[in-house]
């Protein structure tokens, strides 16, 4: 057995296929559709199109959020020297996944993904690729169960060393804001000084997004709750915010271009260091 194989936990030790109800839309598959992916079903496409009909900007949000992930992980690996990443709410694999970006810079990086969508579990083997020096693992767990996430992640990550907690588009799935804050606090409390928190979530900064979200939530499945930029900022209490602070996902250290700053999208983010 190679060192690479030893780093990988068993995804499905019983060999049974995960249960997958394709009649119920799921946020991970809806995002896949907005990003132009093919890992989605009719129910996901219908729900996604309903959102787009009211809020066409959701496609820009999806693309800006995905580009943000690559920029943030590259910064943390190259400039901040982070070698461990816990990516919660990872969604379906596309290009420039967390482990690909981090290990291209630092091959010894260790990455744990967590999600609770059966389709993501099916595709987990695509995520479980790693440089021989590093490790990549997947946890089938809900963001509302941070203790399970931390316990399982500890099988791959060393929580005595800095960890980047990456939570993109996931906290909006927690209906109660105070519960979402408590989840973040539990995760931040579990990592040492020098760790980082990355949060990006949909905001209530446009009428169209609020209307689209309300209409989507009326269906009773795959509900999402927009937060205000001030609420996004509330996740970072006690941490040292990196410049430029809490901003639209498109405006966090964008790549230089001759056309000036990119347009603002209705999702806000920040990156902060635990002192």
């Amino acid at each position: 057995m190679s060192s690479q194989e030893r780093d990988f936990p068993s995804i499905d030790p019983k060999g049974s296929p995960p249960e997958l109800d394709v009649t119920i839309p799921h946020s991970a598959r809806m995002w896949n559709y907005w990003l132009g992916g093919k890992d989605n079903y009719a129910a996901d496409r219908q729900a996604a199109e309903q959102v787009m009909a009211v809020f066409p900007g959701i496609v820009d949000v999806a693309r800006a959020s995905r580009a943000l992930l690559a920029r943030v992980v590259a910064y943390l690996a190259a400039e901040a020297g982070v070698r461990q990443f816990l990516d919660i709410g990872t969604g379906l694999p596309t290009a420039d996944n967390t482990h690909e970006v981090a290990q291209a810079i630092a091959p010894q990086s260790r990455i744990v993904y967590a999600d609770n969508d059966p389709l993501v579990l099916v595709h987990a083997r695509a995520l479980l690729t790693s440089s021989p020096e590093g490790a990549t693992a997947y946890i089938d767990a809900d963001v509302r169960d941070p203790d399970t996430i931390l316990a399982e992640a500890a099988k791959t990550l060393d929580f005595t060393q800095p960890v980047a907690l990456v939570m993109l588009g996931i906290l909006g799935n927690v209906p109660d804001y105070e519960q979402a804050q408590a989840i973040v606090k539990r995760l931040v409390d579990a990592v040492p000084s020098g760790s980082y928190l990355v949060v990006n979530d949909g905001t209530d900064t446009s009428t169209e997004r609020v209307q689209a979200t309300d209409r989507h939530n009326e269906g009773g499945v795959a509900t999402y709750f927009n937060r205000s930029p001030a609420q996004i900022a509330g996740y970072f209490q006690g941490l040292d915010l990196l410049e430029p602070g809490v901003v639209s996902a498109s405006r966090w250290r964008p790549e230089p271009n001759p056309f000036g700053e990119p347009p603002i999208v209705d999702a806000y983010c920040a990156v902060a260091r635990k002192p």
Side-chain angles (χ1 to χ4, degrees), residues 80-86 108-112 150 153-154 156-165 187-197 273-275:
V82 175
R83 297 294 178 261
Q84 302 189 109
F85 296 80
L86 177 52
Q108 69 272 36
S109 297
R110 306 178 73 83
I111 295 88
V112 172
L150 290 168
T156 301
L157 306 179
D158 177 1
F159 281 99
T160 68
Q161 299 298 315
V163 177
L165 301 169
L187 293 167
V188 171
D189 285 348
V191 297
S193 173
S195 295
Y196 288 81
L197 172 66
R273 184 181 184 274
K274 182 175 180 179

Side-chain angles (χ1 to χ4, degrees), residues 110-131:
R110 306 178 73 83
I111 295 88
V112 172
Y113 294 100
D115 207 298
N116 70 332
D117 179 21
L119 187 59
V120 177
L121 181 60
V122 170
H123 284 269
R125 294 191 187 279
L127 286 174
L128 291 180
T129 58
S130 176
S131 62

Side-chain angles (χ1 to χ4, degrees), residues 4-258:
Q4 182 173 335
E5 289 172 331
R6 287 196 296 270
D7 280 331
F8 296 165
S10 175
I11 301 173
D12 189 10
K14 296 180 180 180
S16 57
E19 295 181 5
L20 180 64
D21 188 345
V22 300
T23 67
I24 300 176
H26 191 283
S27 58
R29 302 192 298 265
M30 291 170 65
W31 276 82
N32 177 262
Y33 178 72
W34 289 325
L35 287 169
K38 298 179 180 179
D39 296 314
N40 48 73
Y41 295 94
D44 308 308
R45 294 189 287 272
Q46 181 180 4
E49 289 283 356
Q50 289 173 347
V51 173
M52 292 168 61
V54 180
F55 177 48
I58 188 63
V59 175
D60 293 330
V61 169
R63 292 173 179 172
S65 297
R66 192 67 196 180
L68 169 71
L69 173 66
R71 295 199 306 277
V72 167
V73 172
Y75 166 79
L76 292 174
E79 299 187 42
V82 175
R83 297 294 178 261
Q84 302 189 109
F85 296 80
L86 177 52
D87 186 340
I88 302 173
T90 180
L92 290 160
T94 60
D96 295 332
N97 297 295
T98 300
H99 73 284
E100 293 171 329
V101 176
Q103 292 183 345
I105 295 168
Q108 69 272 36
S109 297
R110 306 178 73 83
I111 295 88
V112 172
Y113 294 100
D115 207 298
N116 70 332
D117 179 21
L119 187 59
V120 177
L121 181 60
V122 170
H123 284 269
R125 294 191 187 279
L127 286 174
L128 291 180
T129 58
S130 176
S131 62
E133 304 94 330
T136 307
Y138 175 84
I139 299 170
D140 183 17
D142 194 297
V143 66
R144 291 166 292 189
D145 189 5
D147 288 339
T148 293
I149 291 174
L150 290 168
E152 292 299 313
K155 298 175 182 179
T156 301
L157 306 179
D158 177 1
F159 281 99
T160 68
Q161 299 298 315
V163 177
L165 301 169
V166 181
M167 308 183 75
L168 304 191
I170 186 63
L171 290 170
N173 292 299
V174 181
D176 183 74
Y177 174 64
E178 291 185 358
Q179 182 186 9
Q181 282 186 301
I183 290 168
V184 172
K185 185 177 187 302
R186 175 70 183 93
L187 293 167
V188 171
D189 285 348
V191 297
S193 173
S195 295
Y196 288 81
L197 172 66
V198 184
V199 173
N200 178 55
D201 254 308
T203 47
D204 56 4
T205 49
S206 75
T207 302
E208 291 81 5
R209 173 147 197 165
V210 171
Q211 290 176 342
T213 304
D214 289 345
R215 182 176 299 183
H216 171 70
N217 288 350
E218 289 173 359
V221 294
T223 52
Y224 190 85
F225 299 87
N226 298 311
R227 312 293 189 203
S228 68
Q231 287 176 315
I232 300 292
Y235 294 131
F236 296 92
Q237 293 179 7
L239 305 179
D240 296 331
L241 276 174
L242 274 59
E243 292 293 336
V246 180
V247 295
S248 173
S250 58
R251 296 286 181 92
W252 195 90
R253 305 190 181 188
E255 298 293 339
N257 70 84

